[in-house]
Short mmCIF file of all heavy atoms in Angstrom, two decimals:
data_model
loop_
_atom_site.label_atom_id
_atom_site.label_comp_id
_atom_site.label_asym_id
_atom_site.label_seq_id
_atom_site.Cartn_x
_atom_site.Cartn_y
_atom_site.Cartn_z
N LEU O 76 142.80 35.32 136.60
CA LEU O 76 143.97 36.20 136.64
C LEU O 76 145.20 35.44 136.17
O LEU O 76 145.38 34.27 136.50
CB LEU O 76 144.21 36.69 138.08
CG LEU O 76 143.03 37.33 138.79
CD1 LEU O 76 143.40 37.64 140.24
CD2 LEU O 76 142.58 38.58 138.08
N PRO O 96 181.80 41.06 130.35
CA PRO O 96 182.57 39.93 130.88
C PRO O 96 182.13 39.51 132.28
O PRO O 96 182.32 38.37 132.68
CB PRO O 96 184.02 40.45 130.92
CG PRO O 96 184.05 41.57 129.94
CD PRO O 96 182.69 42.17 129.96
N VAL O 101 169.08 40.52 131.30
CA VAL O 101 167.95 39.92 130.58
C VAL O 101 166.66 40.66 130.94
O VAL O 101 166.51 41.14 132.06
CB VAL O 101 167.82 38.43 130.98
CG1 VAL O 101 166.67 37.76 130.26
CG2 VAL O 101 169.12 37.68 130.72
N GLY O 105 159.14 41.21 129.13
CA GLY O 105 159.07 42.61 128.71
C GLY O 105 159.02 43.63 129.83
O GLY O 105 158.98 44.82 129.58
N MET O 124 184.81 38.11 122.00
CA MET O 124 184.27 39.11 121.08
C MET O 124 184.05 38.45 119.72
O MET O 124 184.93 37.77 119.21
CB MET O 124 185.25 40.28 120.91
CG MET O 124 185.47 41.11 122.18
SD MET O 124 184.00 41.96 122.74
CE MET O 124 183.92 43.32 121.59
N GLU O 128 181.05 42.37 118.92
CA GLU O 128 180.12 42.30 120.04
C GLU O 128 180.57 41.24 121.02
O GLU O 128 181.05 40.18 120.64
CB GLU O 128 178.70 41.97 119.56
CG GLU O 128 178.06 43.07 118.76
CD GLU O 128 176.62 42.72 118.37
OE1 GLU O 128 176.15 41.61 118.74
OE2 GLU O 128 176.00 43.53 117.70
N THR O 145 169.50 36.99 122.17
CA THR O 145 169.24 35.56 122.40
C THR O 145 168.16 35.39 123.46
O THR O 145 168.15 36.08 124.47
CB THR O 145 170.53 34.85 122.88
OG1 THR O 145 171.53 34.98 121.89
CG2 THR O 145 170.29 33.39 123.18
N VAL O 168 172.63 22.70 134.05
CA VAL O 168 172.88 22.36 132.64
C VAL O 168 171.64 22.57 131.76
O VAL O 168 171.78 22.63 130.54
CB VAL O 168 173.38 20.90 132.48
CG1 VAL O 168 174.76 20.75 133.08
CG2 VAL O 168 172.41 19.91 133.09
N VAL O 173 167.66 29.17 124.64
CA VAL O 173 166.44 28.36 124.51
C VAL O 173 166.44 27.57 123.21
O VAL O 173 166.14 26.37 123.20
CB VAL O 173 165.18 29.26 124.61
CG1 VAL O 173 163.92 28.47 124.30
CG2 VAL O 173 165.08 29.89 125.99
N LEU O 176 168.89 24.65 123.47
CA LEU O 176 168.39 23.64 124.41
C LEU O 176 167.27 22.82 123.79
O LEU O 176 167.23 21.60 123.95
CB LEU O 176 167.91 24.30 125.71
CG LEU O 176 169.00 24.92 126.58
CD1 LEU O 176 168.36 25.80 127.66
CD2 LEU O 176 169.88 23.85 127.21
N HIS O 192 163.42 1.82 117.75
CA HIS O 192 163.03 1.23 116.47
C HIS O 192 163.97 0.07 116.10
O HIS O 192 163.52 -0.98 115.64
CB HIS O 192 163.06 2.31 115.38
CG HIS O 192 162.61 1.84 114.04
ND1 HIS O 192 161.31 1.48 113.79
CD2 HIS O 192 163.29 1.64 112.88
CE1 HIS O 192 161.21 1.09 112.53
NE2 HIS O 192 162.40 1.19 111.95
#
Side-chain angles (χ1 to χ4, degrees):
L76 308 175
V101 180
M124 294 296 283
E128 292 183 1
T145 299
V168 293
V173 172
L176 291 167
H192 183 68

